Amino acid sequence: MDSLKFEISTATQQQLQRVQEVLNDVSSIDEWQIAPYVDGYLVSLKGINMQIANILTCISALGLDAERLYEE
């Protein structure tokens, strides 16, 4: 199982709800979590064959800036 982390910009509760709906609709994501992080939110994903570009596009379509975080 793969793990990915993204930082998203500050969001309203309505936007966070829409992010949750989008994540639920991506079949390659098995688990996800959204938590407050620095100046926005940390989105942690676990799944198999997750497409980074697809996830970024889905989040950006909601009007949020998203950036993949790399673990060291």
Side-chain angles (χ1 to χ4, degrees), residues 1-6 27-33 43-52 55 68-69 71:
M1 188 171 300
D2 301 321
S3 291
L4 295 174
K5 292 188 180 186
F6 298 89
S27 62
S28 60
I29 298 174
D30 294 325
E31 298 176 33
W32 57 263
Q33 182 178 8
V43 179
S44 302
L45 308 174
K46 289 187 180 181
I48 298 174
N49 296 325
M50 293 182 288
Q51 300 297 317
I52 296 166
I55 294 166
R68 182 177 178 197
L69 299 178
E71 295 185 46

Side-chain angles (χ1 to χ4, degrees), residues 1-58:
M1 188 171 300
D2 301 321
S3 291
L4 295 174
K5 292 188 180 186
F6 298 89
E7 180 180 4
I8 59 173
S9 57
T10 302
T12 65
Q13 288 295 12
Q14 182 180 11
Q15 287 172 314
L16 288 177
Q17 180 65 36
R18 293 186 65 207
V19 169
Q20 293 173 10
E21 292 168 4
V22 166
L23 296 177
N24 283 332
D25 289 341
V26 178
S27 62
S28 60
I29 298 174
D30 294 325
E31 298 176 33
W32 57 263
Q33 182 178 8
I34 299 175
Y37 182 75
V38 187
D39 291 327
Y41 292 90
L42 177 67
V43 179
S44 302
L45 308 174
K46 289 187 180 181
I48 298 174
N49 296 325
M50 293 182 288
Q51 300 297 317
I52 296 166
N54 182 43
I55 294 166
L56 288 171
T57 300
C58 291

Side-chain angles (χ1 to χ4, degrees), residues 42 62 64 72:
L42 177 67
L62 300 174
L64 298 169
E72 296 181 17

